[in-house]
Amino acid sequence: MAELGTLTEVDLRQVWTNEARDFTPWLKDNIDRLNQVLGLDIEITEREGAVGPFAVDLVGKDLGSGRTVIIENQLEPTDHTHLGQLLTYTAGRGAKIVIWISPQFREEHRQALDWLNENTDEDQAFFGIEIKLVRIEDSKPAPLFKLVSQPNEWQKNIASSRTISPRGEAYQEFWTTFLEKLKERAPGLTNAKKGLPQSWFSIGAGRTGFGYSTAFKLKGRFSVELYIDTGDKEKNELYFEQLYGQKEIIEQELSTALSWERLDNARACRIAIYREGTIDADENELNELQDWAITNIIKFNNIFGKRIRAL
């Protein structure tokens, strides 16, 4: 009979002495661990983000939907003070995805999040997450996230189905199938769980400010692109020029010419490949668009990924 180890819980303060100085920076650098639990692709854009005279621990965005995300952390049981702060930060930042992390959720605070999920719009989501540290025998402590409150997806989907246009429904069906294929061909590239009724879909490129997108464009075009938007136009253009300096070898590795778009009249920069395609196409062509996009996103990730990390 196989021998099994004993799982024990570790005091959070043994690893993260201070929430602001230790835990929040760790979570910022390890956001993928939380993404896996939530089924989202959150990219952190700010730490201690300003909300008037106050500051929310982490601010980011969900790449799949473009929604603003805020995260409030505690290393002690939930309390009324943090619940009030959470609501203040939600309003101040116009956040649509709100995450509260604590080692212990009091029942009244879990119920408060459940009530908010049941009584807010379909694009609003409140998550309560308990964090533990565990180890087996003398192993290193490992973080364990547990969802204690989350949106009722069935209720949210029913509500949203009343307002989505036929075109939005077509986009949602397209991206849902796209996601299923992408996860089968490239596991781990995205944590997103469902397609949304929008003309585009984005995933992270391994560095804040960089993302891979595929989108239906004007004039019957369909694209796969690397989108650069760090929030700073000068930085975006600097990174773009560094990649453009490798244009010849990049296009050779991709086996195709790219559209290098510095977008002088916009903040962001874009490097893209295009083909014909609309959401109004028949099923066979839509399947072809999905396969084409997946093939090229994988190529972009393989070829641009290492270069983005080196910038």
Side-chain angles (χ1 to χ4, degrees), residues 93-157:
R93 281 296 186 135
K96 292 297 185 180
I97 298 176
V98 181
I99 302 167
W100 189 4
I101 299 177
S102 168
Q104 181 185 341
F105 266 78
R106 292 190 166 96
E107 180 60 19
E108 60 268 30
H109 297 141
R110 184 196 63 77
Q111 290 177 355
L113 294 185
D114 288 347
W115 185 90
L116 288 165
N117 279 318
E118 292 167 4
N119 290 277
T120 53
D121 293 338
E122 61 270 12
D123 63 344
Q124 186 82 55
F126 290 85
F127 293 94
I129 305 233
E130 285 189 345
I131 181 167
K132 309 288 185 187
L133 280 175
V134 297
R135 63 157 47 106
I136 299 175
E137 307 297 349
D138 294 325
S139 68
K140 293 181 180 179
L144 185 65
F145 292 109
K146 177 185 175 184
L147 273 167
V148 297
S149 181
Q150 62 183 312
N152 184 323
E153 290 300 331
W154 183 81
Q155 287 184 351
K156 295 283 187 178
N157 287 339

Side-chain angles (χ1 to χ4, degrees), residues 186-209:
L189 207 54
T190 178
N191 294 296
K193 291 183 177 179
K194 63 179 182 178
L196 296 175
Q198 58 195 27
S199 62
W200 52 272
F201 183 84
S202 295
I203 62 176
R207 181 170 178 171
T208 300

Side-chain angles (χ1 to χ4, degrees), residues 19 54-57 70 72-74 76-90 98 100-102 104-106 108-109 112-113:
E19 177 262 306
F54 308 106
V56 57
D57 291 330
I70 62 169
E72 183 68 4
N73 304 315
Q74 286 186 258
E76 58 278 326
T78 56
D79 55 46
H80 285 1
T81 298
H82 280 80
L83 177 58
Q85 290 173 344
L86 198 74
L87 296 177
T88 300
Y89 302 153
T90 301
V98 181
W100 189 4
I101 299 177
S102 168
Q104 181 185 341
F105 266 78
R106 292 190 166 96
E108 60 268 30
H109 297 141
L113 294 185

Side-chain angles (χ1 to χ4, degrees), residues 3 30 38 59 63 106 147 166 171-172 183 185 205 218-219 229 233 248 256 269 304:
E3 289 190 20
N30 292 272
L38 298 175
V59 181
L63 295 176
R106 292 190 166 96
L147 273 167
Y171 283 134
Q172 189 164 38
K183 288 187 173 184
R185 289 185 54 184
L218 296 175
K219 300 180 180 179
D229 187 7
K233 181 174 176 57
E248 192 171 317
T256 189
C269 300
F304 280 109

